[in-house]
Amino acid sequence: MTSSSSPSQDTTRLAQDYPDGLRADALMEEDVAWSHEIDGERDGDQFDRSERAALRRVAGLSTELEDVTEVEYRQLRLERVVLVGVWTSGTAQDADNSLAELAALAETAGALVLDGVIQRRDKPDAATYIGSGKALELRDMVLESGADTVICDGELSPGQLIQLEDVVKVKVIDRTALILDIFAQHAKSREGKAQVALAQMQYMLPRLRGWGQSLSRQMGGGRGGLATRGPGETKIETDRRRIREKMAKMRREIADMKTGREIKRQERRRNKVPSVAIAGYTNAGKSSLLNRLTGAGVLVENALFATLDPTVRRAETPGGRLYTLADTVGFVRHLPHHLVEAFRSTMEEVGDSDLILHVVDGSHPAPEEQLAAVREVIREVGATDVPEIVVINKADAADPLVLQRLLRVEKRSIAVSARTGQGIDELLALLDNDLPRPSVEIEALVPYTHGKLVARAHNEGEILSEEHTAEGTLLKVRVHEELAAELAPYAPAPAA
């Protein structure tokens, strides 16, 4: 894709570079239909798959020009969209990749991408994002293609949204609203739905619009009987106040739900069970890797943000040590700060872990950008001190030169394929080596009447050797200090 300063070439159409139109496949691996025979062994039963494919009502973000209150059948009414981006820095390939990712997001939300344009500018126009002249060209493109929505590759101010809609005469949304809509469709748990609702209200609060009676003053309050004491607040001010009240209530509910997860974390800490968090870019293969390592049966789909709710599963290293593996929400470039704030309690799984498996898509056109985007969010949640292993997934579909480059640049990295199982054994060995080990090594002859101590040694420590004798179980283990103190009375007397 190229750009020039001439009016006719400033805006370049992606349809010329992609004959079949902008598809999500431009961003992701080849789209292979899931089948129980082929993928069932790797990904489990996939209980969520039939529900995800079923027709259901979705109460998404409504930004229609008219006051639309009814819900949509998202899979029946596919919105026809045109994408528009502003190229302010970087190379033309970077701009192409960004718009291709926006196309993948739009298709994940259930839209049909008709066309896409990029304009070269030093900075977005303060009034209409792309400038008045290009806005008129965009209006002609919308009329020609029959689109009903324009999606901008950036976060637009309320004024930019209104003024661009006034020109193109169709609904305009930005990247943030699109991601919020995807999250609203895919959230399943009570906490996930609450977090998405909070992020939506944070986004919509400054973008509420009023017209007609919405901007007129309401009756004043006061105790004056029939005579009121002057104009009260407008309806739009009332709406904003109610939204703020709902946001405060939602934050309290999320804080209450956080308590339950914190109790579970404390239980794991008390039992000295190491924890590993899987973090990474959306659609990098985090859920596939979790299924491959633990058989969790989490939904795997070739779509962005297919899974939102964190999944924690118990796993075991090749050496027999127990640990927990947590799948977290995927990240994306320019992840809306509303979502980072709303999902902060969920992302704490990353900060509280002993090790991060940072999954990156090795077949992606720009894997280094994925790494940078995820690390930016990890910094925001305060998890920079947690050790990290970079897991380069989809090695079977990646360019060998790209794999070599990533393995050379990232010192603690490994190439795997969750689809074929390539490199999984090496990853498990690396996990076993990098997980924190109990600090005390002790030998004890535990009587058979104290079998609970042997069970705790298996669950909480690392068994170096075990032998069953006439007097009891002879253990050589590495355990934490508390358990070592309980095993100390059974330590064999030193030889004379």
Side-chain angles (χ1 to χ4, degrees):
M1 185 177 296
T2 59
S3 289
S4 66
S5 58
S6 65
S8 62
Q9 295 179 345
D10 250 357
T11 305
T12 53
R13 300 195 175 190
L14 292 176
Q16 296 173 355
D17 293 335
Y18 299 97
D20 296 328
L22 258 181
R23 307 300 299 168
D25 299 343
L27 176 69
M28 301 179 288
E29 62 175 322
E30 65 274 8
D31 192 9
V32 180
W34 190 90
S35 69
H36 186 77
E37 293 78 9
I38 299 174
D39 300 317
E41 181 179 353
R42 182 187 75 246
D43 293 330
D45 293 325
Q46 298 284 286
F47 298 116
D48 296 336
R49 182 166 297 279
S50 57
E51 180 185 344
R52 176 64 59 84
L55 294 176
R56 69 194 192 285
R57 290 184 174 182
V58 176
L61 279 175
S62 178
T63 54
E64 302 278 1
L65 293 180
E66 299 177 359
D67 186 13
V68 176
T69 56
E70 68 271 12
V71 295
E72 302 170 359
Y73 279 100
R74 173 68 64 181
Q75 289 181 298
L76 290 177
R77 178 181 177 268
L78 290 179
E79 297 187 60
R80 299 162 59 84
V81 303
V82 171
L83 312 179
V84 57
V86 173
W87 170 21
T88 57
S89 61
T91 65
Q93 185 62 42
D94 293 338
D96 288 355
N97 291 339
S98 181
L99 209 63
E101 183 175 89
L102 187 67
L105 288 168
E107 294 192 350
T108 300
L112 176 62
V113 179
L114 302 178
D115 211 340
V117 295
I118 293 177
Q119 186 195 11
R120 186 73 168 97
R121 296 179 63 94
D122 293 333
K123 61 180 180 179
D125 182 68
T128 60
Y129 183 67
I130 55 175
S132 57
K134 293 302 172 188
L136 293 173
E137 292 184 22
L138 180 61
R139 181 188 63 185
D140 296 338
M141 185 185 306
V142 167
L143 290 173
E144 179 185 342
S145 62
D148 54 31
T149 305
V150 171
I151 304 178
C152 297
D153 191 16
E155 184 167 337
L156 274 61
S157 68
Q160 287 173 323
L161 281 171
I162 293 173
Q163 295 192 55
L164 190 55
E165 281 183 347
D166 286 342
V167 177
V168 298
K169 305 301 181 186
V170 295
K171 179 174 64 176
V172 176
I173 64 173
D174 59 13
R175 182 189 181 95
T176 300
L178 178 61
I179 293 175
L180 287 171
D181 186 72
I182 296 172
F183 271 58
Q185 293 182 52
H186 291 181
K188 289 184 57 180
S189 70
R190 178 168 169 255
E191 184 173 11
K193 291 177 180 178
Q195 289 167 328
V196 171
L198 175 60
Q200 286 180 323
M201 286 187 287
Q202 287 176 319
Y203 173 80
M204 292 300 293
L205 183 61
R207 293 169 173 82
L208 286 179
R209 304 182 192 178
W211 60 90
Q213 294 183 351
S214 297
L215 293 178
S216 63
R217 294 286 174 181
Q218 301 183 58
M219 283 285 189
R223 302 179 180 178
L226 295 177
T228 58
R229 307 214 175 201
E233 60 186 359
T234 62
K235 185 176 183 299
I236 196 170
E237 289 170 344
T238 306
D239 292 342
R240 285 175 180 154
R241 176 167 50 80
R242 287 174 177 169
I243 286 180
R244 291 190 187 98
E245 291 171 354
K246 288 182 181 179
M247 287 169 59
K249 180 182 178 183
M250 203 70 69
R251 288 193 180 99
R252 289 194 297 270
E253 290 180 1
I254 292 174
D256 292 341
M257 288 183 273
K258 176 184 174 182
T259 304
R261 194 169 49 250
E262 183 60 32
I263 291 173
K264 294 178 183 177
R265 286 201 201 107
Q266 290 175 358
E267 183 70 14
R268 293 198 294 266
R269 293 192 201 105
R270 188 177 67 81
N271 293 329
K272 308 296 182 183
V273 179
S275 61
V276 179
I278 302 179
Y281 213 76
T282 180
N283 208 52
K286 298 183 298 300
S287 297
S288 296
L289 185 63
L290 178 72
N291 289 339
R292 174 66 71 171
L293 293 175
T294 67
V298 176
L299 175 73
V300 173
E301 195 170 24
N302 189 20
L304 307 188
F305 300 114
T307 51
L308 294 184
D309 302 313
T311 302
V312 181
R313 289 291 183 269
R314 188 169 171 169
E316 191 173 306
T317 67
R321 287 196 296 154
L322 293 176
Y323 66 97
T324 60
L325 200 59
D327 184 17
T328 60
V329 63
F331 304 142
V332 73
R333 276 182 299 185
H334 312 303
L335 188 67
H337 66 276
H338 309 295
L339 279 176
V340 175
E341 192 63 35
F343 277 78
R344 185 172 295 276
S345 58
T346 303
M347 294 175 182
E348 286 174 0
E349 293 287 352
V350 178
D352 289 344
S353 63
D354 296 300
L355 183 67
I356 296 175
L357 293 185
H358 184 165
V359 183
V360 60
D361 183 357
S363 64
H364 190 270
E368 289 87 357
E369 292 183 10
Q370 288 193 350
L371 287 167
V374 173
R375 283 170 176 158
E376 180 181 349
V377 179
I378 288 176
R379 279 195 300 271
E380 289 187 36
V381 298
T384 53
D385 296 333
V386 182
E388 174 191 74
I389 297 176
V390 176
V391 181
I392 308 168
N393 194 23
K394 306 182 185 179
D396 54 324
D399 185 343
L401 295 178
V402 174
L403 288 180
Q404 292 176 14
R405 184 178 76 237
L406 290 173
L407 290 170
R408 183 175 64 252
V409 173
E410 300 293 337
K411 302 304 180 185
R412 290 168 52 79
S413 59
I414 184 172
V416 305
S417 171
R419 180 185 293 274
T420 65
Q422 171 190 341
I424 296 297
D425 292 338
E426 292 82 356
L427 175 59
L428 287 171
L430 195 58
L431 264 175
D432 197 359
N433 183 66
D434 285 16
L435 282 175
R437 295 179 178 274
S439 55
V440 181
E441 185 174 321
I442 188 172
E443 187 174 355
L445 181 61
V446 183
Y448 289 120
T449 54
H450 292 70
K452 286 185 178 180
L453 277 179
V454 178
R456 285 186 60 192
H458 277 273
N459 289 333
E460 302 174 21
E462 182 179 359
I463 305 296
L464 303 178
S465 66
E466 183 177 15
E467 181 183 351
H468 298 286
T469 67
E471 293 80 15
T473 305
L474 181 61
L475 290 175
K476 186 175 182 182
V477 294
R478 188 178 284 117
V479 294
H480 52 84
E481 294 179 358
E482 180 184 343
L483 185 54
E486 297 184 42
L487 290 172
Y490 306 105

